[in-house]
Amino acid sequence: MAEVGLHGVGMSYGATQALQDVSMTIPDGAFVVLLGPTGAGKTTTLRLIAGLERPEHGDITIDGQSVLRDTPAQRDVAMVFQQYSLYPHLSVRDNLAFPLRSPMLRLPEAEIAARVQAVARSLRIEHKLNNKATALSGGEMQRVSIGRALVRQPRIYLMDEPLSSLDAKLRADLRVELKRIHADLGATFLYVTHDQIEAMTMATHVGVLDQGRLVQFGTPREIYEDPVSTYVASRLGQPRITLLPAGSFGPGAPAAAAQMGLRPEHIVIGEGQSATVRRVERLGDQTRLHLAFGPHEIVTLTDPHTPLAAGESIAIRPQNPLWFDAHGNRI
Amino acid sequence: MSAYSVTEPSRLSKSVAALLVVGYAVITLLPLLWILSTGFKSGPDSISYPPKVLFEPSLEGYVNLFTTRTRIGAEQFAALPPPETWYDKIVRQSGTVIAGPSRFGERFMNSVIIGFGSTFLSIFLGTLAAYAFSRFRVPLKDDLLFFILSTRMMPPIAVAIPIYLMYRELGLSDTHLGMILLYTAVNISLAVWLLKGFIDEIPREYEEAALIDGYTRFQAFRKVVLPQAATGIASTAIFCLIFAWNEYAFAVLLTSGNAQTAPPFIPTIIGVGGQDWPAVAAGATLFLLPVMIFTILLRKHLLRGITFGAVRK
Ligand SMILES: Nc1ncnc2c1ncn2[C@@H]1O[C@H](COP(=O)(O)OP(=O)(O)OP(=O)(O)O)[C@@H](O)[C@H]1O
Ligand SMILES: [Mg+2]
């Protein structure tokens, strides 16, 4: 139960400016997903909130109180590290019990055992409880690492790509499980992922980072449908948004527009100008078309059972595309 | 057909290696075996020529090591009551009687107290210092580390005279505390450098995870860093103990009675009642044991290596 605030936070590692003037308010009970390419500052943001790093500028608040002077333990956060760091000298069971045995909690052993068992069950690692932490597969380590965050009930959960090395089915199961925990506990989550489905289905808010700056913060739908720049527009959407010169489909562009962004839903197939099918990618639930349109390539979606094949010609027409100016900013 | 493995050496190269190791072990162990066996020889057997490989074992050497004896007149000797204990009996065979215990037991205990005491202190201070150097922003870190190492560059004995005078002033001469401090001062540079290397290898993520899990930095150090530094601590402890245990020059210079350790004492055994080689060999054998036992006890940690497995790199 906590509202987290970052107020003009800046932080650098030596010459590398990792974060620059980042301000955001994470409402109590929100599930915030941080997006951004590698090196954008996502992990740094989590470490600052956890108290593992000290910002050079700005303030960090939890429930309105500045926490800059608090130790990580006092901030009462749980964190799943990107490099899931299980204690190698302990068993899986003791790894999971470790936070519960901390001097902050001092729970009776019986309750610890019960909680460890319950978390192990929900993460499907019950049968590995007696393993050494080093005798696990990558995905199992990752689940133990998540488990270590879930055994206690902190005010804030910080998760750095927690599902990245799981298989698709387990990932889908745990996605639901984490969402259920979020709903049950009403805790505040800050979650880093590169996975579009995780971002769209779990998030109440999405923050997009670009080289240490927060460029947009909003609901997943806002980020997807109403991006402020080509950079944000490229973060979400599979296939990625296609960017073309504004006049590619003839006149009709707004005055300042330099680029048009086309997501699959912005492309009507069957009317308009001619394009050639380069490649048909059948992914099962969807089929992607790679089209040659003049000198440009456009990627869009079509009916999964389409009879189209490479080399054929189809007609396409843009519909309500996103317009961007010469700097990539939305018009 | 057995599977061919790229990482396991073949059976032939394994047996060649084993042969070489055994051969080398025999060569290096022969003098030790000689000391061990001399300790169980009788006086005449120990100096017989050609040397005896097979002999009748005797505990004379060990009894002589732990006792002082006197020779008494023939009629007095004849008038003695029969020997009460097995060691009385052994002593009587050479026409002497036990006058009292020797100093060996005390000296040996001094060695144990000073050797293990200074090892403990070196490791205790060394681990804390190494952790601080490894993890915290220490002003002038590199210069300090170099300074610590530089204390090792001069042979310690070069400062023997100043230390002798200083210790006399401070009343530390011939005290356990004085010797423990001295050996710690010599060992600490090695301890800090070795341990810093080991602690540097332990990823910080573990401590960070513990900090977030609700532990203070010191608790994280104790529960997460120390267990993983066990290997480094064990090997450093063995180095420290070997130095403190074997040290001779300072022991001769600074101790004479109260705190004298075994190394300066053992040679003096020779002088007592002729050349008593079995007693010297017995003393040498007992002197070898503690370091050997200590090393064997810590062997598990030495061999285990550090586990990095659980951090994804
Ligand atoms: N310990 C460090 N020392 C020096 N530079 C660092 C350190 N940690 C991060 N950086 C730099 O800070 C910037 C932000 O790093 P950060 O780890 O926050 O990125 P990220 O968004 O989590 O990336 P990824 O998706 O690859 O995990 C990068 O340029 C990185 O090189
Ligand atoms: Mg990261």
Side-chain angles (χ1 to χ4, degrees):
Chain A
M1 328 300 107
E3 179 191 277
V4 181
L6 280 81
H7 311 279
V9 169
M11 156 94 207
S12 58
Y13 294 103
T16 314
Q17 189 76 34
L19 281 186
Q20 226 169 327
D21 196 22
V22 169
S23 295
M24 66 173 140
T25 302
I26 299 165
D28 182 17
F31 196 114
V32 173
V33 164
L34 285 181
L35 291 179
T38 175
K42 307 180 295 293
T43 300
T44 306
T45 308
L46 297 196
R47 290 175 60 86
L48 281 164
I49 295 172
L52 296 174
E53 308 284 356
R54 220 172 259 277
E56 286 159 352
H57 307 284
D59 195 10
I60 297 171
T61 56
I62 298 179
D63 281 340
Q65 306 274 328
S66 171
V67 291
L68 289 189
R69 297 181 168 277
D70 291 356
T71 64
Q74 288 167 333
R75 296 185 191 195
D76 191 19
V77 301
M79 180 153 168
V80 178
F81 287 77
Q82 188 172 12
Q83 313 199 328
Y84 30 85
S85 32
L86 305 183
Y87 307 117
H89 58 294
L90 298 179
S91 67
V92 170
R93 188 187 303 281
D94 289 336
N95 260 282
L96 290 174
F98 197 80
L100 300 177
R101 296 200 173 119
S102 88
M104 305 282 280
L105 289 178
R106 295 210 180 286
L107 292 180
E109 278 298 319
E111 164 144 24
I112 292 178
R115 283 219 213 164
V116 166
Q117 196 69 33
V119 163
R121 189 176 316 122
S122 69
L123 294 170
R124 328 270 149 76
I125 41 173
E126 268 174 305
H127 56 297
K128 298 285 182 186
L129 276 177
N130 294 320
N131 276 38
K132 276 217 80 139
T134 43
L136 293 176
S137 76
E140 287 161 353
M141 284 189 196
Q142 202 162 35
R143 277 176 283 159
V144 176
S145 185
I146 299 172
R148 227 173 44 198
L150 296 183
V151 277
R152 66 201 178 98
Q153 274 139 31
R155 296 194 290 178
I156 305 159
Y157 291 91
L158 305 169
M159 300 197 172
D160 205 344
E161 302 186 35
L163 307 182
S164 61
S165 56
L166 302 181
D167 64 64
K169 174 171 184 315
L170 206 50
R171 190 186 289 211
D173 290 353
L174 288 186
R175 209 163 55 216
V176 174
E177 181 69 22
L178 285 179
K179 198 63 196 166
R180 188 188 64 72
I181 289 168
H182 174 238
D184 286 358
L185 300 179
T188 308
F189 275 68
L190 203 64
Y191 190 100
V192 173
T193 182
H194 290 287
D195 183 291
Q196 151 134 16
I197 302 176
E198 282 173 34
M200 293 303 286
T201 61
M202 300 171 86
T204 59
H205 302 73
V206 174
V208 182
L209 285 166
D210 178 14
Q211 294 180 29
R213 291 177 183 279
L214 184 70
V215 289
Q216 193 172 359
F217 187 82
T219 65
R221 280 191 64 179
E222 274 166 24
I223 301 290
Y224 182 83
E225 292 172 8
D226 201 11
V228 298
S229 64
T230 53
Y231 177 85
V232 175
S234 308
R235 292 299 117 210
L236 289 180
Q238 278 176 339
R240 260 166 59 130
I241 192 166
T242 303
L243 294 170
L244 299 178
S248 300
F249 284 88
Q259 282 183 299
M260 66 193 303
L262 296 170
R263 294 195 192 277
E265 60 269 27
H266 300 141
I267 298 171
V268 180
I269 296 178
E271 48 190 274
Q273 305 181 26
S274 157
T276 315
V277 178
R278 278 258 188 78
R279 201 143 58 85
V280 182
E281 277 181 335
R282 294 180 195 277
L283 303 180
D285 57 339
Q286 51 170 251
T287 294
R288 286 188 191 171
L289 289 181
H290 294 248
L291 306 173
F293 176 70
H296 309 295
E297 168 158 327
I298 297 175
V299 185
T300 187
L301 291 178
T302 186
D303 177 46
H305 307 294
T306 179
L308 279 175
E312 290 178 35
S313 271
I314 56 170
I316 53 171
R317 174 175 71 77
Q319 181 186 43
N320 303 325
L322 304 173
W323 299 102
F324 301 96
D325 69 15
H327 300 104
N329 293 325
R330 183 76 181 290
I331 296 173
Chain B
M1 212 181 87
S2 67
Y4 173 76
S5 157
V6 274
T7 49
E8 277 283 299
S10 75
R11 193 169 293 190
L12 178 70
S13 53
K14 265 193 198 164
S15 27
V16 171
L19 210 70
L20 288 174
V21 169
V22 169
Y24 180 71
V26 167
I27 292 169
T28 49
L29 285 177
L30 261 181
L32 287 181
L33 280 177
W34 199 250
I35 292 174
L36 187 71
S37 66
T38 304
F40 290 101
K41 284 179 181 171
S42 63
D45 275 355
S46 71
I47 49 171
S48 73
Y49 191 86
K52 285 191 175 175
V53 176
L54 293 176
F55 55 90
E56 191 162 338
S58 146
L59 283 174
E60 196 186 317
Y62 284 87
V63 172
N64 289 354
L65 178 64
F66 281 99
T67 58
T68 55
R69 301 154 305 281
T70 46
R71 194 166 289 280
I72 54 177
E75 63 268 34
Q76 249 179 310
F77 194 83
L80 285 175
E84 280 168 27
T85 57
W86 59 269
Y87 46 85
D88 268 334
K89 218 159 154 186
I90 291 175
V91 172
R92 299 260 181 108
Q93 281 163 8
S94 52
T96 54
V97 290
I98 292 174
S102 77
R103 284 275 159 88
F104 183 74
E106 273 170 48
R107 303 308 192 228
F108 193 82
M109 274 318 292
N110 285 345
S111 266
V112 169
I113 292 168
I114 291 167
F116 284 88
S118 74
T119 300
F120 175 80
L121 199 59
S122 307
I123 294 296
F124 180 78
L125 297 175
T127 311
L128 291 178
Y131 181 74
F133 276 121
S134 171
R135 294 295 198 259
F136 299 129
R137 226 176 283 141
V138 179
L140 299 179
K141 180 190 280 191
D142 292 343
D143 304 285
L144 279 175
L145 277 171
F146 183 78
F147 166 72
I148 290 173
L149 186 66
S150 70
T151 62
R152 190 80 178 192
M153 291 178 182
M154 188 160 46
I157 204 66
V159 290
I161 305 296
I163 286 180
Y164 176 77
L165 296 174
M166 224 161 67
Y167 266 42
R168 212 178 48 186
E169 275 315 296
L170 293 170
L172 285 172
S173 287
D174 204 18
T175 61
H176 292 112
L177 179 66
M179 295 312 285
I180 289 177
L181 287 179
L182 183 67
Y183 291 163
T184 304
V186 176
N187 269 334
I188 191 112
S189 59
L190 177 80
V192 170
W193 273 77
L194 277 181
L195 287 167
K196 177 172 179 295
F198 280 101
I199 292 175
D200 280 344
E201 293 294 313
I202 302 173
R204 283 158 185 259
E205 278 91 349
Y206 298 133
E207 287 150 81
E208 294 181 342
L211 288 182
I212 290 180
D213 282 346
Y215 293 77
T216 64
R217 188 167 266 284
F218 184 73
Q219 288 159 341
F221 170 75
R222 215 163 50 88
K223 298 217 171 215
V224 177
V225 178
L226 273 192
Q228 292 183 72
T231 310
I233 289 175
S235 40
T236 310
I238 289 172
F239 277 119
C240 291
L241 181 69
I242 288 174
F243 170 80
W245 189 256
N246 294 343
E247 206 286 326
Y248 180 78
F250 278 113
V252 168
L253 186 71
L254 295 176
T255 67
S256 47
N258 185 30
Q260 192 181 43
T261 52
F265 178 76
I266 290 177
T268 66
I269 303 169
I270 298 180
V272 185
Q275 299 196 329
D276 195 351
W277 293 116
V280 173
T285 307
L286 291 181
F287 184 68
L288 285 173
L289 282 181
V291 174
M292 221 162 81
I293 294 171
F294 190 62
T295 310
I296 290 172
L297 285 180
L298 295 184
R299 189 189 43 180
K300 189 184 97 202
H301 292 289
L302 291 180
L303 296 182
R304 198 190 50 192
I306 305 175
T307 38
F308 296 111
V311 168
R312 180 175 54 176
K313 288 262 174 177

